[in-house]
Amino acid sequence: MNTRKVSRAELKKHLLFFTISLLMVVVLSFVLCTITYAAPGISIDLNAGEDAGGTMGTIELLFLVAILALAPSILIMMTSFTRIIIVLSFLRNALGTQQSPPNQILVGLALFLTLFIMSPVVSEINQTAYIPYKEGAITQEVATERAVKPIKVFMLKQTHKKDLNLFLSISKSPVPQLQEGQSIEAFTELGLEVIIPSFITSELKRAFTMGFLLFIPFLIIDMVVASTLMSMGMVMLPPAMISLPFKIMMFVLVDGWGLLMGTLVKSFR
């Protein structure tokens, strides 16, 4: 009987949600139609092609929208953001503070550290690509090539030779694999489709290695507290609750945030 009441309540809830959603769709459709009829002079020709004299066609417009939608993710994956945010997440898990610092603080901190680390690359792009293009000294194609090169050099400096050779072999690229003693910066002519996954793989390896090293001192504190409670017969007392203040105190006393930020910045050679 209770199950039937619960199912009826859930059914009523779903019907109410569906009705509200349907009303919202109808209202939005009505508003859009009103705006369209109120401004008959504004129109966008999505079928414009080569005959339109340089206007953007449907495929080009869709491609531009897709690039703009993926631009934040692409930029994040091509910078130092990945390593920083993963290490900060490992630190929070190692401390056992649940949601402190919150995700917004960690993401903001990672973004500003990324801006600090990537500032030389941004300055080089500004000097070699943006300013000459703005002054009309170079074309758009040349500006794009000059802008991509510093980013490639940055990613290649952080990429392991093993990871680069892995994706070179998978892509069956005609470029020979990196040999022992050969500079990895010499592969700047490679496409981003090879450099970016190699860079991300190396970043994940470094981030997990740093996360493992972060866990060790906090794990030792957990083991000491757990063994002490067991020896005192306090089996019902959660060790994590007792060890949390000691972990926070140790992290503050050794200036953990300063050490972590300095190590993260210096890890990008």
Side-chain angles (χ1 to χ4, degrees):
M1 191 68 180
N2 293 331
T3 306
R4 185 176 299 176
K5 290 182 179 179
V6 171
S7 61
R8 287 182 178 178
E10 292 180 352
L11 182 60
K12 290 181 180 179
K13 187 186 298 183
H14 288 302
L15 286 175
L16 179 61
F17 178 75
F18 176 76
T19 305
I20 295 174
S21 302
L22 184 61
L23 288 174
M24 291 179 64
V25 171
V26 173
V27 171
L28 288 174
S29 302
F30 176 76
V31 172
L32 290 175
C33 291
T34 305
I35 294 174
T36 303
Y37 284 112
I42 301 175
S43 62
I44 299 176
D45 187 9
L46 293 179
N47 295 320
E50 297 179 354
D51 298 335
T55 55
M56 184 176 295
T58 306
I59 297 178
E60 289 81 2
L61 182 61
L62 292 176
F63 182 74
L64 178 61
V65 172
I67 290 296
L68 291 176
L70 296 174
S73 301
I74 294 173
L75 291 177
I76 287 174
M77 301 298 280
M78 294 168 62
T79 60
S80 56
F81 182 84
T82 302
R83 186 192 307 184
I84 295 172
I85 193 64
I86 291 177
V87 172
L88 292 177
S89 300
F90 270 118
L91 173 64
R92 187 173 64 180
N93 292 332
L95 282 171
T97 53
Q98 301 299 326
Q99 295 298 322
S100 182
N103 294 328
Q104 293 85 350
I105 300 297
L106 294 184
V107 172
L109 182 59
L111 285 174
F112 279 100
L113 279 177
T114 301
L115 180 62
F116 177 77
I117 294 170
M118 299 297 296
S119 57
V121 179
V122 175
S123 299
E124 185 177 354
I125 293 173
N126 184 51
Q127 294 294 329
T128 60
Y130 178 71
I131 293 179
Y133 175 72
K134 186 178 179 181
E135 295 175 351
I138 57 176
T139 61
Q140 183 178 358
E141 290 76 11
V142 176
T144 304
E145 293 177 0
R146 291 186 181 182
V148 169
K149 187 174 181 180
I151 301 177
K152 285 184 177 181
V153 172
F154 171 79
M155 289 191 292
L156 286 172
K157 285 182 178 179
Q158 315 303 323
T159 304
H160 291 301
K161 298 179 180 180
K162 182 179 179 181
D163 299 326
L164 183 61
N165 288 333
L166 171 65
F167 285 95
L168 280 174
S169 61
I170 293 175
S171 63
K172 298 180 180 180
S173 175
V175 179
Q177 294 190 4
L178 189 65
Q179 303 298 327
E180 191 66 31
Q182 188 178 2
S183 176
I184 198 170
E185 287 83 1
F187 285 76
T188 54
E189 299 300 325
L190 285 173
L192 292 174
E193 69 277 1
V194 176
I195 297 178
I196 291 178
S198 306
F199 169 72
I200 291 300
T201 305
S202 300
E203 287 295 284
L204 291 175
K205 289 181 180 179
R206 285 195 177 95
F208 275 73
T209 302
M210 296 178 71
F212 168 75
L213 296 176
L214 277 173
F215 259 96
I216 292 177
F218 300 113
L219 181 62
I220 293 174
I221 294 178
D222 286 332
M223 294 175 62
V224 171
V225 170
S227 60
T228 303
L229 292 176
M230 288 286 291
S231 62
M232 296 175 63
M234 299 180 180
V235 184
M236 302 301 294
L237 191 62
M241 185 175 65
I242 305 300
S243 63
L244 180 59
F246 292 99
K247 290 191 288 187
I248 295 176
M249 180 183 65
M250 185 200 73
F251 188 71
V252 173
L253 289 178
V254 300
D255 190 19
W257 287 112
L259 290 174
L260 181 63
M261 301 306 166
T263 304
L264 280 172
V265 173
K266 293 177 182 177
S267 65
F268 292 92
R269 53 189 178 89

